[in-house]
Amino acid sequence: MMNTPQQVKNPSSSLKSRFITRFLGALTKINAEDPISSPSPTRIFQRYRRIKVASNKSMAYSVRSRRIWSRAMLSRFRSRRSAFSGRRSSVKTTNCTTINVTINENKTAKGGLDMQTDELRELVPGGEAMDVCNLLDETAHYIKCLTTQVQVMRKIVDFCHLSK
Amino acid sequence: MQPCSREMQAMNSLLSPTQQIPLQDLQPNGNSGTHQAQIHNPQFDPTSSHDDFLDQMLSTLPSCSWSDLKSPWDPPKSDETPPSNHDNNVGFHYDEILASKLRQHQINGGGGGTTAAMKMMMQQQMMLPGRPIAAAGGGGLTMPLHNDIVDGSSFKSPNQQGGEGSVQALYNGFGAGSLHGTNNQSPNQPQHFHHPQGGNMQTQSFGATAGTVMNQSQASGSTTGGARAQPKQRVRARRGQATDPHSIAERLRRERIAERMKALQELVPNANKTDKASMLDEIIDYVKFLQLQVKVLSMSRLGGAAAVAPLVADMPSEGGDCVQTTAGGGGSLQRNSNGNQPSANNDSLTVTEHQVAKLMEEDMGSAMQYLQGKGLCLMPISLATAISTATCHSRNPMINKGSSSNHPLLQSNGDGPSSPSMSVLTVQSATMGNGGLDGSAKDAASVSKP
């Protein structure tokens, strides 16, 4: 696993560089906690879950609260974490209640595209509380971030395989 | 109305008889003392779509303003020469009048009900093909006119003083007048705009847009302005254009959604669909695919290369278990892997094969990605057969994906394929460009996708 200084300040500080920094930091942490050579499948599965969460979390943190989907994702992580620790944290659902009216309006207006819109809502985190217009906007940004995530992860995998 | 009348007279004095020609020229039947006659010019295209709209706008007009406006147009009515060069001046003076009227109306508390309608009309006219100047002019034109009016949605409120000069400049552009007519947010405004419209009319060939605006002006009984008179008085909504603010808001919303869809089209590959529903389907599939990719990559990234070994190592039971757990863990992988373990003990690559099979049922691309993570790739059978015939038999097992089937079967080194349609080919990703393989796999995927 390559060492990466976690304190480095990327001059460009683009989304990609922020994500890379965070994600690699999380990976080193995971590798430190978990011995690599644990062959038990449950361990592997846990590790996989942890890495996936770390990846998504890093991306959400890189975007910070600038996007609805990142905010929803972050609140989801936080609530999950607090649920683990036994506390029930109040999830930020305040946004959802006020927007329900617009959602109903849009659903009736869109007609045949409701199915797809609903499906999209499920896919994009925080999509339930968005009207179609914002949903499409958030989807675009979410797709962009996901592609960045996949790109970076793939590069890391290639690197690991090459160094094998 | 004092300031208005003063400015009207100032304008009147500034305007020489020649400058008022454009208005007169527009009317074939010469100048008449009444503005109503000027309005009903048979030359005018009978596009009555805006008539209702303007009628409703102008119904709230205070009568005094009309009389003020009427005055400048009365005296000069003889010339016939087309003063194209005077349009600027005319327009400029109109600006002052408009500005004053605007201020006045603001003081009086202009009706905001027509705002949306006006905006819609302006946008409509801006969208008209062949009206680039109008669009540009309209965009710039809106700014100076809405300076003090509260307009929440689209227009800022720039300084009116600075705007007047730009407004004058925009008069040269086609449709400036018509845009003017649509830009105002108070019912008072249209009457002012009719004059510049009249001035611009003769120099520019207005299409239906101007015609409709002119219709409004004339139907409302405004002063000269109208080059193309309209016999009808009622302003009816244009085809495809409603005057109801709700439908206008609806249209705005639809346009916004359309732009977002266009932006998404560029992000998503294979976005050549014109249908909105299929485009949405494509987007959904792509998002699912990306999420799956993240999962798969995080799986193959288990602590580096060493941890990947268990997946492909000669430990079928563990590998099978691993596949089972991941299949159970990965939310989108809803396959029960129990049924796929028959040959697990025989083949070192069975684990991968089953995983790939599962992924393939989800999405070809993700399966491709998964294989690539292991140094494998998918390729069409034709290419694989070509390579196999060219290179005889390599050490590595051949993995090949037929376009007809979704279930690749792994073969051990050198064995014949278990099913005639499938064979598995392993290609080092380094030797073949990933991008090219991606493309071919995607092509195969798109063919096999239902």
Side-chain angles (χ1 to χ4, degrees):
Chain A
M1 199 61 204
M2 56 196 240
N3 287 338
T4 162
Q6 304 191 16
Q7 315 305 332
V8 103
K9 282 282 178 205
N10 293 312
S12 62
S13 81
S14 67
L15 173 75
K16 200 175 191 175
S17 47
R18 286 200 303 269
F19 169 68
I20 291 177
T21 316
R22 267 184 228 270
F23 184 49
L24 290 177
L27 277 178
T28 48
K29 215 192 291 180
I30 290 178
N31 280 338
E33 296 171 4
D34 232 354
I36 298 178
S37 56
S38 62
S40 109
T42 46
R43 293 295 277 174
I44 292 179
F45 173 60
Q46 274 176 5
R47 190 194 181 80
Y48 145 70
R49 279 292 289 269
R50 222 180 283 187
I51 293 183
K52 180 181 69 149
V53 165
S55 167
N56 289 331
K57 224 183 204 176
S58 316
M59 180 50 80
Y61 271 109
S62 304
V63 179
R64 255 159 257 240
S65 301
R66 282 201 305 269
R67 285 278 159 174
I68 303 181
W69 69 265
S70 70
R71 285 200 290 266
M73 213 178 218
L74 290 173
S75 69
R76 208 185 286 173
F77 287 137
R78 288 195 194 113
S79 67
R80 209 187 289 169
R81 202 191 311 160
S82 62
F84 282 153
S85 64
R87 279 177 292 116
R88 277 282 148 201
S89 73
S90 60
V91 189
K92 293 172 194 152
T93 49
T94 50
N95 303 334
C96 308
T97 52
T98 55
I99 312 181
N100 280 333
V101 177
T102 47
I103 290 176
N104 290 333
E105 279 177 25
N106 292 340
K107 275 186 181 172
T108 50
K110 263 308 175 179
L113 299 178
D114 286 349
M115 225 171 40
Q116 283 106 332
T117 336
D118 289 345
E119 220 177 330
L120 202 52
R121 274 187 227 273
E122 293 171 23
L123 286 177
V124 177
E128 304 84 14
M130 282 192 254
D131 58 332
V132 181
C133 203
N134 284 338
L135 182 66
L136 292 178
D137 210 15
E138 294 289 316
T139 305
H141 191 262
Y142 187 54
I143 286 180
K144 196 174 73 146
C145 293
L146 277 179
T147 45
T148 313
Q149 218 174 330
V150 165
Q151 240 177 36
V152 171
M153 289 177 81
R154 207 189 294 180
K155 285 217 180 97
I156 296 179
V157 172
D158 289 345
F159 178 83
C160 288
H161 278 264
L162 284 175
S163 67
K164 185 175 170 183
Chain B
M1 289 298 196
Q2 290 307 315
C4 176
S5 48
R6 275 203 301 274
E7 291 184 349
M8 293 305 297
Q9 269 131 42
M11 189 204 83
N12 206 2
S13 58
L14 285 167
L15 286 174
S16 68
T18 56
Q19 283 178 342
Q20 304 211 348
I21 283 166
L23 304 167
Q24 324 320 328
D25 213 23
L26 300 172
Q27 287 126 40
N29 42 358
N31 307 317
S32 58
T34 68
H35 305 287
Q36 306 301 327
Q38 291 170 0
I39 293 165
H40 303 286
N41 190 336
Q43 271 184 352
F44 203 33
D45 295 338
T47 50
S48 59
S49 53
H50 287 303
D51 291 355
D52 287 338
F53 170 64
L54 200 57
D55 236 0
Q56 120 195 10
M57 283 189 326
L58 298 173
S59 58
T60 64
L61 285 176
S63 55
C64 57
S65 56
W66 269 128
S67 53
D68 293 330
L69 287 176
K70 275 185 195 174
S71 47
W73 307 117
D74 281 330
K77 293 201 171 131
S78 46
D79 276 345
E80 293 288 329
T81 60
S84 53
N85 44 357
H86 294 299
D87 283 350
N88 302 344
N89 295 337
V90 169
F92 182 71
H93 298 305
Y94 296 161
D95 276 324
E96 292 172 347
I97 301 169
L98 295 172
S100 66
K101 276 292 178 188
L102 186 64
R103 276 186 233 112
Q104 223 172 33
H105 199 85
Q106 291 169 15
I107 296 168
N108 299 340
T114 58
T115 299
M118 290 301 228
K119 257 183 280 173
M120 212 45 227
M121 272 185 51
M122 182 218 52
Q123 284 188 355
Q124 279 277 338
Q125 292 168 354
M126 283 173 66
M127 305 298 185
L128 279 177
R131 304 272 154 88
I133 300 174
L141 202 56
T142 56
M143 304 314 239
L145 296 178
H146 296 286
N147 59 346
D148 289 333
I149 295 180
V150 178
D151 181 357
S153 52
S154 28
F155 310 110
K156 314 255 188 284
S157 48
N159 189 355
Q160 189 168 17
Q161 308 307 322
E164 282 168 353
S166 63
V167 170
Q168 177 217 347
L170 289 168
Y171 266 112
N172 302 336
F174 157 70
S178 56
L179 285 171
H180 245 313
T182 58
N183 283 346
N184 64 33
Q185 298 201 3
S186 68
N188 220 356
Q189 298 310 320
Q191 26 175 331
H192 307 282
F193 299 139
H194 301 322
H195 310 305
Q197 281 167 359
N200 288 332
M201 273 313 209
Q202 60 169 23
T203 52
Q204 294 147 4
S205 57
F206 292 93
T209 318
T212 56
V213 180
M214 292 320 295
N215 284 338
Q216 297 168 20
S217 61
Q218 288 149 5
S220 61
S222 67
T223 61
T224 62
R228 309 154 193 207
Q230 172 96 16
K232 290 211 221 169
Q233 293 282 351
R234 274 195 67 66
V235 180
R236 252 186 309 132
R238 211 162 162 203
R239 180 168 152 56
Q241 181 181 3
T243 60
D244 185 20
H246 289 300
S247 40
I248 287 165
E250 175 75 22
R251 198 175 308 119
L252 276 173
R253 196 182 73 92
R254 255 181 274 148
E255 284 165 3
R256 236 181 287 153
I257 288 179
E259 343 170 337
R260 305 275 161 83
M261 292 283 292
K262 250 183 249 155
L264 275 171
Q265 252 185 334
E266 297 164 18
L267 281 176
V268 176
N270 296 337
N272 47 4
K273 314 279 190 294
T274 50
D275 182 22
K276 220 190 244 182
S278 50
M279 193 60 224
L280 272 178
D281 283 334
E282 198 67 41
I283 291 171
I284 288 171
D285 285 343
Y286 191 60
V287 171
K288 280 195 198 152
F289 162 61
L290 287 176
Q291 286 176 340
L292 193 55
Q293 258 191 317
V294 169
K295 284 184 192 145
V296 167
L297 282 171
S298 61
M299 219 165 38
S300 60
R301 285 217 59 277
L302 301 183
V308 184
L311 283 180
V312 271
D314 226 346
M315 295 188 284
S317 55
E318 248 178 87
D321 288 344
C322 178
V323 169
Q324 277 176 330
T325 49
T326 51
S332 57
L333 300 178
Q334 293 146 13
R335 308 284 177 268
N336 185 0
S337 58
N338 290 332
N340 291 342
Q341 297 300 323
S343 54
N345 297 327
N346 302 337
D347 229 318
S348 59
L349 292 175
T350 303
V351 166
T352 310
E353 171 209 352
H354 291 309
Q355 189 63 19
V356 169
K358 279 181 217 115
L359 286 175
M360 273 185 182
E361 287 171 54
E362 293 283 339
D363 179 31
M364 273 307 302
S366 63
M368 177 74 180
Q369 296 302 328
Y370 183 70
L371 285 176
Q372 271 194 319
K374 303 189 174 312
L376 309 173
C377 81
L378 300 178
M379 63 188 338
I381 271 191
S382 51
L383 186 56
T385 49
I387 291 179
S388 67
T389 52
T391 62
C392 279
H393 305 289
S394 67
R395 288 183 294 106
N396 299 328
M398 310 288 285
I399 298 180
N400 201 344
K401 166 76 178 71
S403 55
S404 54
S405 167
N406 279 335
H407 299 289
L409 295 177
L410 293 176
Q411 66 175 39
S412 350
N413 305 336
D415 290 344
S418 329
S419 110
S421 63
M422 304 305 309
S423 59
V424 178
L425 166 74
T426 304
V427 180
Q428 298 303 322
S429 54
T431 57
M432 305 191 64
N434 285 349
L437 283 173
D438 272 343
S440 65
K442 269 286 186 187
D443 290 342
S446 54
V447 168
S448 61
K449 230 179 194 177

